[in-house]
Amino acid sequence: MTEASRPRVRREPQQARSRARVEAILTAADRILSREGYEALTMRRIAEESGAPVGSIYQFYPDKGAVVDALGRRYLLAFASAIDELVERAVSGELTDLVGTMVDVYAELFRSQPGGMALWAGRHLSPELARADEASNTLIADGLQRIVEHLTGGPGGERARRATRMVVWASNAVLHEVFKGDGEPDLETVEELKRMLRFYWDDLRGRLETTAE
């Protein structure tokens, strides 16, 4: 782990009570971001929303940037867990609809992380969250490459690496549009994304399987 990627915390919570307080702090910060935006996220506002004294927040996080950093890491862990599960399902033969399942899982992650979505939609990404977002995209693309190579029977090389990153970029762009508003998401657009990616997946699979022969 590089120095730049280390969490900027004053101390890690050890006791259950401290862990519960940190969870309340981060949950409150996520709510503020999703409802009021990045500018409204202050240590005092987090205290009001979480019910924790301002002083107790500073015990764990030196500033607002550190709180956002911690949120970014929580988002990243959720993406890591989701992609690991997809890889396991693919290897075990349970993943019968790669594109549909991948888009559904990805969409649910967007829906369940309104704070991160609010930051992205407003283009107010802090350097900390921008790094976490970039890391999650790389992690998802790497996981998809592992799935693609498993399903096509061999290493896909640069073609598979480029293709899986393009899938992540395209999915990101569409899902950010779908979930960035305050109203109900346009789920038909999510279905259109699946149709588009299925055509691409069929073409890619044919090219990779031909190369593997």
Side-chain angles (χ1 to χ4, degrees), residues 37-203:
Y38 184 75
E39 289 79 3
L41 187 69
T42 64
M43 301 299 257
R44 185 168 297 281
R45 184 71 188 84
I46 294 171
E48 293 172 355
E49 185 73 20
S50 66
V54 174
S56 69
I57 299 176
Y58 279 110
Q59 289 178 9
F60 299 102
Y61 302 110
D63 51 37
K64 162 180 167 175
V67 175
V68 172
D69 188 17
L71 274 177
R73 291 173 186 283
R74 188 163 74 166
Y75 300 150
L76 179 57
L77 286 174
F79 276 95
S81 176
I83 197 65
D84 284 346
E85 182 180 349
L86 281 178
V87 172
E88 290 178 7
R89 292 175 64 184
V91 171
S92 65
E94 298 177 13
L95 199 59
T96 57
D97 180 7
L98 170 60
V99 171
T101 304
M102 184 272 292
V103 172
D104 284 342
V105 168
Y106 210 9
E108 175 58 23
L109 287 167
F110 273 68
R111 186 203 64 76
S112 64
Q113 297 179 358
M117 279 302 304
L119 282 173
W120 184 269
R123 294 300 188 268
H124 296 307
L125 284 173
S126 71
E128 295 85 2
L129 194 55
R131 287 195 297 270
D133 185 71
E134 182 179 354
S136 70
N137 288 340
T138 300
L139 182 148
I140 293 166
D142 288 346
L144 285 178
Q145 183 172 348
R146 289 160 59 196
I147 293 173
V148 165
E149 291 178 343
H150 172 76
L151 295 177
T152 56
E158 181 60 24
R159 176 175 289 173
R161 191 198 71 81
R162 183 184 300 111
T164 52
R165 277 147 183 78
M166 287 177 60
V167 167
V168 172
W169 296 336
S171 299
N172 264 339
V174 173
L175 293 176
H176 278 303
E177 288 298 316
V178 169
F179 290 97
K180 73 177 182 180
D182 295 330
E184 288 297 316
D186 180 7
L187 298 182
E188 184 55 36
T189 298
V190 177
E191 293 304 313
E192 290 298 313
L193 174 63
K194 293 179 185 178
R195 294 185 185 102
M196 180 181 73
L197 293 179
R198 284 191 179 108
F199 280 112
Y200 185 59
W201 166 232
D202 287 342
D203 176 73

